[in-house]
Amino acid sequence: MKQNINNVRKLREAKLMSKAELARKAGISVLTVDRIEKGHPCRLDTKRKVVIALGLRVPEADKVFKSSQKSEDRGQGSRVRGQK
């Protein structure tokens, strides 16, 4: 399973919000908030709900959810399939 890097917990705690409060404001379950904070993937719509519930605008989503694509690309080598 791919772990996603995010700042949900950091931003939630900075706003003195509980997981339950964030879940209520976002319209998602506390279990989903817990999974997101642990780096599990979630749907784009869920990310949007979390960003808005944290008091941010959708264009600011990169402050909450960072792409882990760059770290996944590292270490895969630069060889193209079929080349030796």
Side-chain angles (χ1 to χ4, degrees):
M1 178 177 38
K2 177 169 57 170
Q3 293 287 318
N4 296 308
I5 301 167
N6 67 63
N7 290 318
V8 175
R9 181 177 179 185
K10 178 178 153 186
L11 292 169
R12 176 181 60 78
E13 290 177 346
K15 294 184 177 283
L16 302 176
M17 283 178 137
S18 67
K19 287 182 185 180
E21 186 177 359
L22 177 59
R24 183 183 54 76
K25 286 185 175 188
I28 59 177
S29 71
V30 176
L31 181 60
T32 299
V33 172
D34 190 55
R35 288 177 177 159
I36 292 168
E37 288 185 356
K38 289 180 179 176
H40 293 266
C42 66
R43 295 181 303 188
L44 188 59
D45 185 53
T46 303
K47 288 181 180 181
R48 182 185 57 79
K49 290 176 181 180
V50 169
V51 168
I52 292 169
L54 288 170
L56 300 170
R57 296 177 310 137
V58 174
E60 298 174 296
D62 60 335
K63 293 179 181 178
V64 182
F65 296 98
K66 298 177 184 176
S67 173
S68 59
Q69 185 65 34
K70 290 179 183 176
S71 62
E72 290 173 9
D73 288 342
R74 286 186 211 137
Q76 289 186 356
S78 59
R79 289 181 21 191
V80 176
R81 183 180 287 173
Q83 288 183 341
K84 293 184 181 182

